[in-house]
Amino acid sequence: AGALPGTTALVVPLENQGYGDVATVHETTTMPGWSPLAARLAGAAACKLLLPFRVDAPEQAARQVAVAERCAAACRDAGTVLVLEPIVYRRAGEELDEARFGELVVAGAARLAATDPGLLKLQHPGSAEACAALDAACTARTPWVLLGGGAEEDVLLAQIEEACAAGASGFIVGRTLWSD
């Protein structure tokens, strides 16, 4: 409808769940009546899919990989890009140290890069070394960006520097940029 300048791309979500649901979602569902084709016809250049994902939960991981494959294919068919956002979450009562969290982020990225999304939007894995492992886990044809995750500005800036030095193509953030 001309609301955005021609140099600004519109990215719209596909998932029916929100960020508050990540620890309880066993299989991501898409919004009823919404699709990559509908998004494209509405002017979107890309679709985002929030995907709670733990490689150490094999049954959930298999279901979520299938969701990612379907959405990636539907985006390609519609002429849009899939921005796949796997989220490593903490289970109720779980102690998840930084090293294990980073391992899960890297292993999840490696598994989901095979679904051929247009872009992986990934959590910071905890260190510069883990960012290098994350870059190696993403295939040469699967670029990745850092997600903000609501980090404080100074923390986010340091994470962006580490991620981009390791090979990230940039960042996609919201709350940190738009908050006070």
Side-chain angles (χ1 to χ4, degrees):
L4 295 174
T7 58
T8 302
L10 176 64
V11 180
V12 298
L14 293 176
E15 73 275 351
N16 201 31
Q17 295 78 26
Y19 289 94
D21 301 325
V22 295
T24 60
V25 172
H26 299 288
E27 183 174 340
T28 298
T29 58
T30 56
M31 289 186 276
W34 190 243
S35 68
L37 181 57
R40 182 69 179 151
L41 293 173
C47 297
K48 185 222 22 121
L49 182 68
L50 175 67
L51 197 77
F53 194 79
R54 296 272 305 242
V55 293
D56 60 347
E59 291 179 11
Q60 184 225 26
R63 286 192 299 271
Q64 294 291 66
V65 166
V67 170
E69 288 172 340
R70 284 193 305 272
C71 289
C75 283
R76 285 189 298 274
D77 290 347
T80 62
V81 171
L82 177 62
V83 178
L84 185 57
E85 182 180 5
I87 298 293
V88 173
Y89 56 90
R90 287 173 175 75
R91 297 177 180 123
E94 177 182 32
E95 293 293 326
L96 189 59
D97 67 31
E98 184 177 289
R100 180 66 179 141
F101 177 82
E103 291 169 2
L104 291 170
V105 171
V106 171
R111 182 134 182 223
L112 290 165
T115 67
D116 196 22
L119 182 68
L120 285 167
K121 180 182 174 188
L122 302 170
Q123 293 162 296
H124 189 275
S127 68
E129 294 78 22
C131 284
L134 186 55
D135 190 62
C138 297
T139 64
R141 72 173 198 214
T142 306
W144 65 283
V145 296
L146 187 69
L147 69 81
E152 295 293 322
E153 183 179 348
D154 58 335
V155 171
L156 180 61
L157 290 173
Q159 290 177 345
I160 291 170
E161 285 183 24
E162 284 182 350
C164 290
S169 296
F171 62 93
I172 299 176
V173 300
R175 290 172 281 176
T176 301
L177 289 179
W178 305 116
S179 67
D180 291 341

